[in-house]
Amino acid sequence: MSVLPLVFTSGWASGINAYAVVLLFGVFGATGLTDEVPESLQRTDVLVVAGVLFLCEAVADKIPYVDSIWDAVHTVIRPIAGAVVGALLAGQNGSLPELAAGAVGGSTALLSHFVKAGTRMAVNTTPEPFSNVALSLAEDLGVAAIVTFALFHPVAAASIAGALLIGGLVILIFLAQRIRRFLRRRSQRREERRLADAEARARARPPSGDGSEHF
């Protein structure tokens, strides 16, 4: 079970930026910094594709509302990437069944993806774009740091990833409640304005009577 912490951490990171995970693992394996990375992730074509897609995500992830569209498209891609990376790591290590590793990596990636996507939707309600850029940079740096740390200290990295995942889920629930209350208040204000406009129009309308004069 020694590979399980690494699978969990890679799944969490894949839910935030799957291309960065593949790129980092591939580079670390190709340069000989670790023996934990399977050769399939070290292939040149895999590294090139992951690098190009990482650059695309780095740009899209920092543009308000474009990031939410990108997240929606990757609702399926990120969990699949987490499952595949987890299965490959398990196959390389041999201490955990590949199917179980894929399930752990995929489910963890799905949860962290929901946290990221939900947080971005909340951030997009702010009028300025700087919060998107700051959050995206923090995510990129966090993924790079934790994946690197996980290759040398997998248990400690998994503990950090687990704490971040739980904290993110708590924040997401809090934000969902705040957004729900905000939408409810906005709907009530719209209804109140509609009723007030209807009442004002009714008062401004001249009274209708028979008013007919008979000669």
Coordinates of all heavy atoms in Angstrom, one line a residue, residues 114-194:
F114 N -14.5 19.7 -8.2 CA -15.7 20.4 -7.8 C -15.4 21.6 -6.9 O -16.0 22.6 -7.0 CB -16.7 19.4 -7.0 CG -17.4 18.5 -8.0 CD1 -17.8 17.2 -7.6 CD2 -17.8 18.9 -9.2 CE1 -18.5 16.4 -8.4 CE2 -18.5 18.1 -10.1 CZ -18.8 16.8 -9.7
V115 N -14.4 21.4 -6.0 CA -14.0 22.5 -5.2 C -13.4 23.7 -6.0 O -13.8 24.8 -5.8 CB -12.9 22.0 -4.1 CG1 -12.3 23.2 -3.4 CG2 -13.5 21.0 -3.2
K116 N -12.6 23.3 -7.0 CA -12.0 24.4 -7.8 C -13.1 25.1 -8.6 O -13.1 26.3 -8.7 CB -10.9 23.8 -8.7 CG -10.4 24.8 -9.8 CD -9.4 24.2 -10.7 CE -8.9 25.3 -11.7 NZ -7.8 24.8 -12.5
A117 N -13.9 24.3 -9.3 CA -15.0 24.9 -10.2 C -15.9 25.7 -9.4 O -16.3 26.8 -9.8 CB -15.7 23.8 -10.9
G118 N -16.3 25.3 -8.2 CA -17.3 26.0 -7.4 C -16.6 27.3 -6.8 O -17.3 28.4 -6.8
T119 N -15.4 27.2 -6.5 CA -14.7 28.4 -6.0 C -14.5 29.5 -7.1 O -14.7 30.7 -6.9 CB -13.3 28.1 -5.4 OG1 -13.4 27.1 -4.4 CG2 -12.6 29.3 -4.8
R120 N -14.2 29.0 -8.3 CA -14.1 29.9 -9.4 C -15.4 30.6 -9.7 O -15.5 31.8 -10.1 CB -13.6 29.2 -10.6 CG -12.1 28.8 -10.5 CD -11.3 30.1 -10.2 NE -9.9 29.8 -10.1 CZ -9.1 29.9 -11.2 NH1 -9.6 30.2 -12.4 NH2 -7.8 29.6 -11.0
M121 N -16.5 29.9 -9.6 CA -17.8 30.5 -9.9 C -18.1 31.6 -8.9 O -18.7 32.6 -9.2 CB -18.9 29.4 -9.8 CG -18.9 28.4 -11.0 SD -20.2 27.1 -10.9 CE -21.6 28.2 -11.0
A122 N -17.7 31.4 -7.7 CA -17.9 32.4 -6.6 C -17.0 33.6 -6.9 O -17.4 34.7 -6.7 CB -17.6 31.8 -5.2
V123 N -15.8 33.3 -7.3 CA -14.8 34.4 -7.5 C -15.3 35.3 -8.7 O -15.1 36.5 -8.8 CB -13.4 33.9 -7.7 CG1 -12.5 34.9 -8.3 CG2 -12.9 33.3 -6.4
N124 N -15.9 34.6 -9.7 CA -16.3 35.3 -10.9 C -17.4 36.3 -10.6 O -17.8 37.2 -11.5 CB -16.8 34.4 -12.0 CG -15.6 33.7 -12.7 OD1 -14.5 34.3 -12.8 ND2 -15.8 32.5 -13.2
T125 N -18.0 36.3 -9.4 CA -19.1 37.3 -9.1 C -18.4 38.6 -8.7 O -19.1 39.6 -8.6 CB -19.9 36.8 -7.9 OG1 -19.1 36.6 -6.8 CG2 -20.6 35.5 -8.3
T126 N -17.1 38.6 -8.5 CA -16.4 39.9 -8.2 C -16.2 40.7 -9.5 O -15.9 40.1 -10.5 CB -15.1 39.6 -7.4 OG1 -14.3 38.9 -8.3 CG2 -15.3 38.9 -6.2
P127 N -16.2 42.0 -9.4 CA -16.1 42.8 -10.6 C -14.7 42.9 -11.2 O -14.5 43.1 -12.4 CB -16.6 44.2 -10.2 CG -16.3 44.2 -8.8 CD -16.5 42.8 -8.2
E128 N -13.7 42.6 -10.4 CA -12.3 42.8 -10.9 C -11.7 41.4 -11.3 O -12.1 40.4 -10.7 CB -11.5 43.5 -9.8 CG -11.7 43.1 -8.4 CD -11.1 41.7 -8.1 OE1 -10.1 41.4 -8.7 OE2 -11.7 41.0 -7.3
P129 N -10.7 41.4 -12.2 CA -10.2 40.2 -12.7 C -8.9 39.7 -11.9 O -8.5 38.6 -12.1 CB -9.8 40.5 -14.1 CG -9.4 41.9 -14.0 CD -10.3 42.6 -13.0
F130 N -8.5 40.5 -10.9 CA -7.2 40.2 -10.3 C -7.3 39.0 -9.4 O -6.3 38.3 -9.2 CB -6.7 41.4 -9.5 CG -6.5 42.7 -10.4 CD1 -7.4 43.7 -10.3 CD2 -5.5 42.7 -11.3 CE1 -7.3 44.8 -11.1 CE2 -5.3 43.9 -12.1 CZ -6.2 44.9 -12.0
S131 N -8.5 38.8 -8.8 CA -8.7 37.7 -7.9 C -8.6 36.4 -8.7 O -8.1 35.4 -8.2 CB -10.0 37.7 -7.2 OG -11.1 37.9 -8.1
N132 N -9.0 36.3 -9.9 CA -8.9 35.1 -10.8 C -7.4 34.8 -11.0 O -7.0 33.7 -10.9 CB -9.6 35.3 -12.1 CG -11.1 35.5 -12.0 OD1 -11.6 36.5 -11.5 ND2 -11.8 34.5 -12.3
V133 N -6.6 35.8 -11.3 CA -5.2 35.6 -11.6 C -4.5 35.2 -10.4 O -3.7 34.2 -10.4 CB -4.6 37.0 -12.1 CG1 -3.1 36.8 -12.3 CG2 -5.2 37.4 -13.4
A134 N -4.8 35.8 -9.2 CA -4.1 35.4 -8.0 C -4.5 34.0 -7.6 O -3.6 33.2 -7.2 CB -4.5 36.4 -6.9
L135 N -5.7 33.6 -7.7 CA -6.2 32.3 -7.4 C -5.6 31.2 -8.3 O -5.1 30.2 -7.9 CB -7.7 32.2 -7.4 CG -8.3 30.9 -6.9 CD1 -7.9 30.6 -5.5 CD2 -9.8 30.9 -7.0
S136 N -5.5 31.5 -9.6 CA -4.9 30.6 -10.5 C -3.4 30.4 -10.3 O -2.9 29.3 -10.3 CB -5.1 31.1 -12.0 OG -4.5 30.3 -12.9
L137 N -2.7 31.5 -10.0 CA -1.3 31.3 -9.7 C -1.1 30.5 -8.4 O -0.2 29.7 -8.3 CB -0.6 32.7 -9.5 CG -0.5 33.5 -10.8 CD1 0.0 34.9 -10.5 CD2 0.5 32.8 -11.8
A138 N -1.9 30.7 -7.4 CA -1.8 30.0 -6.2 C -2.0 28.5 -6.4 O -1.4 27.6 -5.9 CB -2.8 30.5 -5.1
E139 N -3.0 28.2 -7.3 CA -3.3 26.8 -7.6 C -2.2 26.1 -8.3 O -1.7 25.0 -8.0 CB -4.6 26.7 -8.4 CG -5.9 27.0 -7.7 CD -7.1 27.2 -8.6 OE1 -6.9 27.2 -9.8 OE2 -8.2 27.2 -8.1
D140 N -1.6 26.8 -9.3 CA -0.5 26.3 -10.1 C 0.7 26.0 -9.2 O 1.4 25.0 -9.3 CB -0.1 27.2 -11.2 CG -1.2 27.3 -12.3 OD1 -2.0 26.5 -12.3 OD2 -1.2 28.3 -13.0
L141 N 1.1 27.0 -8.4 CA 2.2 26.9 -7.5 C 2.0 25.8 -6.4 O 2.9 25.0 -6.1 CB 2.5 28.2 -6.8 CG 3.0 29.3 -7.7 CD1 3.2 30.6 -6.9 CD2 4.4 28.9 -8.4
G142 N 0.7 25.7 -5.9 CA 0.4 24.7 -4.9 C 0.5 23.3 -5.5 O 1.0 22.4 -4.9
V143 N 0.0 23.1 -6.7 CA 0.1 21.8 -7.4 C 1.6 21.4 -7.6 O 2.0 20.3 -7.3 CB -0.7 21.8 -8.7 CG1 -0.3 20.6 -9.6 CG2 -2.2 21.8 -8.5
A144 N 2.4 22.3 -8.1 CA 3.8 22.0 -8.3 C 4.5 21.7 -7.0 O 5.3 20.7 -7.0 CB 4.4 23.2 -9.0
A145 N 4.2 22.4 -6.0 CA 4.9 22.2 -4.7 C 4.5 20.9 -4.1 O 5.4 20.1 -3.6 CB 4.6 23.3 -3.7
I146 N 3.2 20.5 -4.1 CA 2.7 19.3 -3.4 C 3.1 18.1 -4.2 O 3.5 17.0 -3.6 CB 1.2 19.4 -3.2 CG1 0.9 20.5 -2.1 CG2 0.7 18.1 -2.7 CD1 -0.5 20.6 -1.8
V147 N 3.0 18.2 -5.6 CA 3.4 17.0 -6.4 C 4.9 16.7 -6.2 O 5.4 15.6 -6.0 CB 3.1 17.2 -7.9 CG1 3.8 16.2 -8.7 CG2 1.6 17.2 -8.1
T148 N 5.7 17.8 -6.2 CA 7.2 17.6 -6.0 C 7.4 17.0 -4.6 O 8.2 16.1 -4.4 CB 7.9 18.9 -6.1 OG1 7.6 19.5 -7.4 CG2 9.4 18.8 -5.9
F149 N 6.8 17.5 -3.6 CA 6.9 17.1 -2.2 C 6.5 15.6 -2.1 O 7.1 14.8 -1.3 CB 6.1 18.0 -1.3 CG 6.3 17.7 0.2 CD1 7.6 17.8 0.7 CD2 5.3 17.4 1.0 CE1 7.8 17.5 2.1 CE2 5.5 17.1 2.4 CZ 6.8 17.2 2.9
A150 N 5.4 15.2 -2.8 CA 4.9 13.9 -2.7 C 5.8 12.8 -3.2 O 5.8 11.7 -2.8 CB 3.6 13.8 -3.5
L151 N 6.7 13.2 -4.2 CA 7.6 12.2 -4.7 C 8.7 11.8 -3.7 O 9.2 10.7 -3.8 CB 8.3 12.8 -6.0 CG 7.4 12.9 -7.2 CD1 8.1 13.6 -8.4 CD2 6.9 11.5 -7.7
F152 N 8.9 12.7 -2.8 CA 10.0 12.4 -1.8 C 9.4 12.1 -0.4 O 10.0 11.4 0.4 CB 11.0 13.5 -1.7 CG 11.6 13.8 -3.1 CD1 11.1 14.9 -3.8 CD2 12.6 13.1 -3.6 CE1 11.7 15.2 -5.1 CE2 13.2 13.3 -4.8 CZ 12.7 14.4 -5.6
H153 N 8.2 12.7 -0.1 CA 7.6 12.5 1.2 C 6.1 12.3 1.0 O 5.2 13.1 1.2 CB 7.8 13.7 2.1 CG 9.2 14.1 2.3 ND1 10.0 13.4 3.2 CD2 10.0 15.0 1.7 CE1 11.2 14.0 3.1 NE2 11.3 14.9 2.3
P154 N 5.7 11.1 0.4 CA 4.3 10.8 0.0 C 3.3 10.9 1.1 O 2.2 11.4 0.9 CB 4.4 9.4 -0.6 CG 5.6 8.8 -0.1 CD 6.6 9.9 0.2
V155 N 3.6 10.4 2.3 CA 2.7 10.4 3.4 C 2.4 11.8 3.9 O 1.2 12.2 4.1 CB 3.2 9.5 4.5 CG1 2.2 9.6 5.7 CG2 3.3 8.1 4.1
A156 N 3.4 12.6 4.1 CA 3.2 14.0 4.5 C 2.5 14.8 3.4 O 1.6 15.6 3.8 CB 4.6 14.6 4.8
A157 N 2.8 14.6 2.2 CA 2.1 15.3 1.1 C 0.6 14.9 1.0 O -0.3 15.7 0.8 CB 2.8 15.0 -0.2
A158 N 0.3 13.6 1.2 CA -1.0 13.1 1.2 C -1.8 13.8 2.4 O -3.0 14.1 2.2 CB -1.1 11.6 1.3
S159 N -1.2 13.9 3.5 CA -1.9 14.6 4.7 C -2.2 16.0 4.3 O -3.3 16.5 4.6 CB -1.0 14.5 5.9 OG -0.7 13.2 6.2
I160 N -1.3 16.7 3.7 CA -1.5 18.1 3.3 C -2.7 18.2 2.3 O -3.6 19.0 2.3 CB -0.2 18.8 2.7 CG1 0.8 18.8 3.8 CG2 -0.5 20.1 2.2 CD1 2.2 19.3 3.3
A161 N -2.6 17.3 1.3 CA -3.6 17.3 0.2 C -5.0 16.9 0.8 O -6.0 17.5 0.4 CB -3.3 16.2 -0.9
G162 N -5.0 16.0 1.8 CA -6.3 15.7 2.4 C -6.9 16.9 3.2 O -8.1 17.1 3.2
A163 N -6.0 17.6 3.9 CA -6.4 18.8 4.7 C -7.0 19.8 3.7 O -8.0 20.5 4.0 CB -5.3 19.3 5.5
L164 N -6.3 20.0 2.6 CA -6.7 21.0 1.6 C -8.0 20.6 1.0 O -8.9 21.5 0.7 CB -5.6 21.2 0.5 CG -4.3 21.9 1.0 CD1 -3.3 21.9 -0.1 CD2 -4.6 23.3 1.4
L165 N -8.2 19.3 0.7 CA -9.4 18.9 0.1 C -10.6 19.1 1.1 O -11.7 19.6 0.7 CB -9.3 17.4 -0.2 CG -10.6 16.8 -0.9 CD1 -10.9 17.5 -2.2 CD2 -10.3 15.3 -1.1
I166 N -10.4 18.7 2.4 CA -11.5 18.9 3.3 C -11.8 20.4 3.5 O -13.0 20.8 3.6 CB -11.1 18.2 4.7 CG1 -11.0 16.7 4.5 CG2 -12.1 18.6 5.8 CD1 -10.5 16.0 5.7
G167 N -10.7 21.2 3.7 CA -11.0 22.6 3.8 C -11.7 23.2 2.6 O -12.5 24.1 2.8
G168 N -11.3 22.7 1.4 CA -11.9 23.3 0.2 C -13.4 22.9 0.2 O -14.2 23.7 -0.3
L169 N -13.7 21.7 0.6 CA -15.1 21.2 0.6 C -16.0 22.1 1.6 O -17.1 22.5 1.3 CB -15.3 19.8 0.9 CG -14.7 18.8 -0.1 CD1 -14.7 17.4 0.4 CD2 -15.6 18.9 -1.4
V170 N -15.4 22.4 2.7 CA -16.1 23.2 3.7 C -16.3 24.6 3.2 O -17.4 25.2 3.3 CB -15.3 23.3 5.0 CG1 -15.8 24.3 6.0 CG2 -15.2 21.9 5.7
I171 N -15.3 25.2 2.6 CA -15.4 26.5 2.0 C -16.4 26.5 0.9 O -17.2 27.4 0.7 CB -14.0 27.0 1.4 CG1 -13.1 27.2 2.6 CG2 -14.2 28.3 0.6 CD1 -11.7 27.6 2.2
L172 N -16.5 25.4 0.0 CA -17.4 25.3 -1.1 C -18.8 25.3 -0.5 O -19.7 25.9 -1.1 CB -17.1 24.1 -1.9 CG -18.0 23.9 -3.1 CD1 -17.9 25.0 -4.1 CD2 -17.6 22.6 -3.8
I173 N -19.1 24.5 0.5 CA -20.4 24.5 1.1 C -20.8 25.8 1.7 O -21.9 26.3 1.5 CB -20.5 23.4 2.3 CG1 -20.3 22.0 1.7 CG2 -21.8 23.5 3.0 CD1 -20.1 20.9 2.7
F174 N -19.9 26.5 2.3 CA -20.1 27.9 2.8 C -20.5 28.8 1.7 O -21.4 29.6 1.8 CB -18.9 28.4 3.6 CG -19.0 29.8 4.0 CD1 -19.8 30.2 5.1 CD2 -18.3 30.8 3.4 CE1 -19.9 31.5 5.5 CE2 -18.3 32.1 3.8 CZ -19.2 32.5 4.8
L175 N -19.7 28.8 0.6 CA -19.9 29.7 -0.5 C -21.3 29.4 -1.2 O -22.0 30.3 -1.6 CB -18.8 29.5 -1.5 CG -17.4 30.1 -1.1 CD1 -16.4 29.8 -2.2 CD2 -17.5 31.6 -0.9
A176 N -21.6 28.1 -1.3 CA -22.9 27.7 -1.9 C -24.0 28.3 -1.1 O -25.0 28.7 -1.7 CB -23.0 26.2 -2.0
Q177 N -23.9 28.2 0.2 CA -25.0 28.8 1.1 C -25.1 30.3 0.9 O -26.2 30.9 0.8 CB -24.7 28.4 2.5 CG -24.9 26.9 2.8 CD -24.5 26.6 4.3 OE1 -23.9 27.4 5.0 NE2 -24.8 25.4 4.7
R178 N -23.9 31.0 0.8 CA -23.9 32.4 0.6 C -24.5 32.8 -0.7 O -25.3 33.7 -0.8 CB -22.5 33.0 0.7 CG -21.9 32.8 2.1 CD -22.6 33.8 3.1 NE -22.4 35.2 2.6 CZ -21.3 36.0 3.0 NH1 -20.4 35.5 3.7 NH2 -21.3 37.2 2.5
I179 N -24.1 32.0 -1.8 CA -24.6 32.3 -3.1 C -26.1 32.1 -3.2 O -26.9 32.8 -3.8 CB -23.9 31.5 -4.2 CG1 -22.4 32.0 -4.2 CG2 -24.6 31.6 -5.5 CD1 -21.6 31.1 -5.1
R180 N -26.6 31.0 -2.5 CA -28.0 30.7 -2.5 C -28.8 31.8 -1.8 O -29.9 32.2 -2.3 CB -28.3 29.4 -1.8 CG -29.7 28.9 -2.0 CD -29.9 27.6 -1.2 NE -29.0 26.5 -1.8 CZ -28.0 26.0 -1.1 NH1 -27.8 26.4 0.2 NH2 -27.3 25.1 -1.6
R181 N -28.3 32.3 -0.7 CA -29.0 33.4 0.0 C -29.0 34.7 -0.8 O -30.0 35.4 -0.9 CB -28.3 33.7 1.4 CG -28.7 32.6 2.4 CD -28.3 33.1 3.8 NE -26.9 33.4 4.0 CZ -26.1 32.5 4.4 NH1 -26.5 31.3 4.8 NH2 -24.8 32.7 4.6
F182 N -27.8 34.9 -1.5 CA -27.7 36.1 -2.4 C -28.7 36.1 -3.5 O -29.4 37.0 -3.8 CB -26.3 36.2 -2.9 CG -26.1 37.2 -4.0 CD1 -26.1 38.6 -3.8 CD2 -26.0 36.8 -5.4 CE1 -26.0 39.5 -4.8 CE2 -25.9 37.8 -6.4 CZ -25.9 39.1 -6.1
L183 N -28.9 34.9 -4.2 CA -29.8 34.7 -5.3 C -31.2 34.9 -4.8 O -32.1 35.4 -5.5 CB -29.6 33.4 -5.9 CG -28.3 33.2 -6.7 CD1 -28.1 31.8 -7.2 CD2 -28.1 34.2 -7.8
R184 N -31.5 34.3 -3.6 CA -32.9 34.5 -3.0 C -33.2 35.9 -2.7 O -34.3 36.4 -3.1 CB -33.0 33.6 -1.7 CG -34.4 33.5 -1.2 CD -34.5 32.8 0.1 NE -33.9 31.4 0.0 CZ -32.8 31.0 0.6 NH1 -32.2 31.8 1.4 NH2 -32.4 29.8 0.4
R185 N -32.3 36.7 -2.1 CA -32.5 38.1 -1.9 C -32.7 38.9 -3.2 O -33.6 39.8 -3.2 CB -31.4 38.7 -1.0 CG -31.4 38.2 0.4 CD -30.5 39.1 1.3 NE -29.1 39.1 0.8 CZ -28.2 38.3 1.2 NH1 -28.5 37.4 2.2 NH2 -27.0 38.3 0.8
R186 N -31.9 38.6 -4.2 CA -32.0 39.3 -5.4 C -33.4 39.0 -6.1 O -34.0 39.9 -6.7 CB -30.9 38.9 -6.4 CG -30.8 39.7 -7.6 CD -29.6 39.4 -8.5 NE -29.6 38.1 -9.0 CZ -28.7 37.6 -9.8 NH1 -27.7 38.4 -10.2 NH2 -28.7 36.3 -10.2
S187 N -33.8 37.7 -6.0 CA -35.1 37.4 -6.6 C -36.2 38.1 -5.8 O -37.2 38.6 -6.4 CB -35.3 35.9 -6.5 OG -36.6 35.5 -7.0
Q188 N -36.1 38.2 -4.5 CA -37.1 38.9 -3.7 C -37.1 40.4 -4.1 O -38.2 41.0 -4.2 CB -36.9 38.8 -2.2 CG -37.1 37.3 -1.7 CD -36.7 37.2 -0.3 OE1 -36.0 38.1 0.3 NE2 -37.1 36.0 0.3
R189 N -36.0 41.0 -4.3 CA -35.9 42.4 -4.6 C -36.5 42.7 -6.0 O -37.2 43.7 -6.2 CB -34.5 42.9 -4.6 CG -33.9 43.1 -3.2 CD -32.7 43.9 -3.2 NE -31.6 43.3 -3.9 CZ -30.7 42.5 -3.4 NH1 -30.7 42.3 -2.1 NH2 -29.7 41.9 -4.1
R190 N -36.3 41.8 -6.9 CA -36.9 41.9 -8.3 C -38.4 41.8 -8.2 O -39.1 42.5 -8.9 CB -36.3 40.8 -9.2 CG -34.9 41.0 -9.6 CD -34.4 39.9 -10.5 NE -33.1 40.1 -11.1 CZ -32.4 39.3 -11.8 NH1 -33.0 38.1 -12.2 NH2 -31.2 39.6 -12.3
E191 N -38.9 40.9 -7.4 CA -40.3 40.7 -7.2 C -40.9 42.0 -6.6 O -42.0 42.4 -7.0 CB -40.6 39.5 -6.4 CG -42.1 39.2 -6.2 CD -42.8 38.8 -7.5 OE1 -42.1 38.5 -8.5 OE2 -44.0 38.9 -7.6
E192 N -40.2 42.5 -5.6 CA -40.7 43.7 -5.0 C -40.8 44.9 -5.9 O -41.7 45.7 -5.9 CB -39.9 44.1 -3.7 CG -40.0 43.1 -2.6 CD -39.0 43.4 -1.5 OE1 -38.1 44.3 -1.7 OE2 -39.0 42.7 -0.5
R193 N -39.7 45.0 -6.8 CA -39.7 46.1 -7.8 C -40.8 45.9 -8.8 O -41.5 46.9 -9.2 CB -38.3 46.2 -8.4 CG -37.3 46.8 -7.6 CD -36.1 47.2 -8.4 NE -35.5 46.0 -9.1 CZ -34.5 45.3 -8.6 NH1 -34.0 45.6 -7.4 NH2 -34.0 44.3 -9.3
R194 N -41.0 44.6 -9.2 CA -42.1 44.4 -10.1 C -43.5 44.8 -9.6 O -44.3 45.4 -10.3 CB -42.1 42.9 -10.5 CG -43.0 42.5 -11.7 CD -43.1 41.0 -11.9 NE -43.7 40.4 -10.8 CZ -45.0 40.3 -10.6 NH1 -45.9 40.8 -11.5 NH2 -45.5 39.7 -9.6

